[in-house]
Amino acid sequence: MKKILITGGAGYIGSHTAVELWNAGMEPIILDDFSNSEAKVLDRLEEITGKRFTFYQGDCNDKTVLDSIGKAHQIEGVIHFAAFKAVGESTAKPLKYYKNNVGSLVLLLEFMQEQGIKDLVFSSSCTVYGQPEVLPVTEATPRQEAESPYGNTKKICEDILIDYVKSKPGIRVISLRYFNPVGAHPSSKIGELPLGTPNNLVPFITQVAAGIREKLTVFGADYDTMDGSCVRDYIHVVDLADAHVKAFSFLNQQPENFYDVFNVGTGNGNTVLEVIYAFEKVSGQKLNYVIGPRRPGDVVKTWADTTKIKTVLGWQPKYSLEDSMRDSWNWQKGLK
């Protein structure tokens, strides 16, 4: 069974990807420092799959941890999720973000070269597009100046990967540019578990509905959109996880020194208010929300053109926005 190292594998997207890799006949080896996740996720993964995944607690900026994994396992591929991701914090502490997000990729590439590991799927982001001039966004859409140090780390990491592959190190890389991951595993055993105040819309919605938070603020309802609120492409996390499986299957067929990028979204844009209404419909909960002022730096609208990933990787999203809201709410209700 092919062993795949998942950095940040106990996190939101990483944990769901571990499940989908296992379902596809691959064995996840998880590395996580629990800076934005919890140890109980490992128990939940075992409940879902019936398998206790091999786990290493540590920072992927720590070469000794990587070396210990390399000595114990014949790793055949890597998915690199581990990164700090809070936009606001990145603005206040840019060096923390550059050191962690960029530094860990460089160290990981050195580790892969030493171990002879050929395949890497990198967790990138639609933030590299900024506010695109033309919609929907294709992979050929020019990248814009980043709105935050976090977004800039994704651009820099993509550039590092491009330059590294050009140097002919014998590896194959795909960067997946995610849009907005939402939802939870249909089993309700794993989902988005923000530590502290959520930075993303949907966990804030579910926490308001659960009475954990008093209200939700919609930042601006006077934009040039259908109902005045910002538009995003919300992709169910299980669909996103499946894209990583498809990416690995595709990489296996490519020559060495290969690099490509793929958007991962639904191909549809939904406003913030549409997300709220979808949640209210599937949950039966009336959400307490207010309209607030615009938030500086917010992209007004963006959504993906998914033609390339559907055509080249044979990937198709299976879940709707209402499915995502249902699964998020069921996950929230099960939290203790």
Side-chain angles (χ1 to χ4, degrees):
M1 183 177 285
K2 182 178 291 188
K3 293 184 177 182
I4 307 298
L5 173 63
I6 310 180
T7 71
Y12 176 41
I13 305 172
S15 60
H16 287 81
T17 300
V19 172
E20 296 309 307
L21 284 172
W22 178 255
N23 289 342
M26 291 178 268
E27 181 179 351
I29 307 295
I30 295 174
L31 171 62
D32 205 297
D33 64 0
F34 295 135
S35 61
N36 196 36
S37 58
E38 294 184 353
K40 65 183 179 183
V41 170
L42 303 173
D43 299 327
R44 298 295 186 86
L45 290 174
E46 185 175 7
E47 291 175 22
I48 294 170
T49 64
K51 167 71 174 179
R52 187 71 181 186
F53 295 141
T54 301
F55 170 73
Y56 290 82
Q57 183 169 354
D59 187 338
C60 61
N61 276 291
D62 185 346
K63 183 67 160 51
T64 60
V65 176
L66 293 174
D67 286 342
S68 65
I69 295 172
K71 288 177 182 176
H73 304 278
Q74 183 66 44
I75 302 296
E76 296 187 53
V78 179
I79 303 178
H80 187 40
F81 289 112
F84 296 143
K85 61 178 184 177
V87 171
E89 183 188 47
S90 77
T91 302
K93 301 177 180 179
L95 295 184
K96 174 182 178 181
Y97 275 66
Y98 288 116
K99 182 178 181 180
N100 185 67
N101 295 10
V102 178
S104 66
L105 176 63
V106 173
L107 194 65
L108 188 63
L109 291 172
E110 292 173 344
F111 165 73
M112 290 179 63
Q113 188 171 52
E114 292 169 3
Q115 297 289 324
I117 302 168
K118 295 188 179 300
D119 294 338
L120 171 68
V121 177
F122 175 67
S123 169
S124 191
S125 168
C126 67
T127 58
V128 301
Y129 296 120
Q131 176 59 70
E133 296 178 2
V134 178
L135 290 167
V137 175
T138 73
E139 289 81 358
T141 297
R143 298 182 306 168
Q144 304 288 343
E145 182 175 346
E147 299 285 344
S148 68
Y150 162 72
N152 204 32
T153 65
K154 293 300 183 182
K155 287 181 63 180
I156 291 170
C157 285
E158 285 192 1
D159 290 340
I160 289 171
L161 290 168
I162 292 168
D163 289 341
Y164 186 56
V165 170
K166 285 179 181 176
S167 75
K168 301 195 183 317
I171 70 169
R172 302 173 287 214
V173 181
I174 284 177
S175 291
L176 295 180
R177 292 173 176 168
Y178 312 159
F179 280 68
N180 290 64
V182 291
H185 195 267
S187 68
S188 302
K189 293 185 183 297
I190 54 174
E192 190 165 7
L193 190 64
L195 303 183
T197 304
N199 291 302
N200 297 332
L201 172 63
V202 175
F204 217 110
I205 286 176
T206 60
Q207 289 188 12
V208 170
I212 298 170
R213 304 196 181 275
E214 179 188 0
K215 63 184 178 183
L216 169 72
T217 299
V218 177
F219 296 107
D222 57 352
Y223 288 107
D224 182 20
T225 63
M226 182 182 72
D227 56 28
S229 61
C230 291
V231 173
R232 298 289 185 271
D233 189 335
Y234 296 94
I235 175 75
H236 196 291
V237 66
V238 175
D239 282 330
L240 177 54
D242 181 55
H244 294 79
V245 176
K246 297 292 194 296
F248 263 111
S249 298
F250 180 73
L251 278 177
N252 288 336
Q253 305 166 30
Q254 305 312 308
E256 293 183 356
N257 309 309
F258 173 86
Y259 179 82
D260 208 349
V261 299
F262 294 89
N263 289 336
V264 191
T266 64
N268 299 303
N270 291 103
T271 68
V272 173
L273 291 176
E274 282 183 313
V275 174
I276 290 172
Y277 301 151
F279 176 81
E280 290 181 332
K281 178 179 177 181
V282 300
S283 69
Q285 303 287 312
K286 189 66 178 173
L287 203 67
N288 182 26
Y289 70 91
V290 297
I291 305 298
R294 294 185 179 191
R295 186 168 53 182
D298 268 351
V299 171
V300 178
K301 49 189 172 182
T302 186
W303 65 90
D305 183 314
T306 56
T307 302
K308 183 178 178 182
I309 191 170
K310 290 177 178 177
T311 303
V312 178
L313 299 191
W315 172 89
Q316 289 275 358
K318 301 179 179 69
Y319 294 87
S320 68
L321 179 62
E322 289 186 1
D323 292 333
S324 297
M325 295 304 102
R326 177 203 65 220
D327 292 342
S328 293
W329 181 229
N330 287 339
W331 158 250
Q332 179 70 60
K333 289 188 294 184
L335 289 176
K336 299 291 188 290

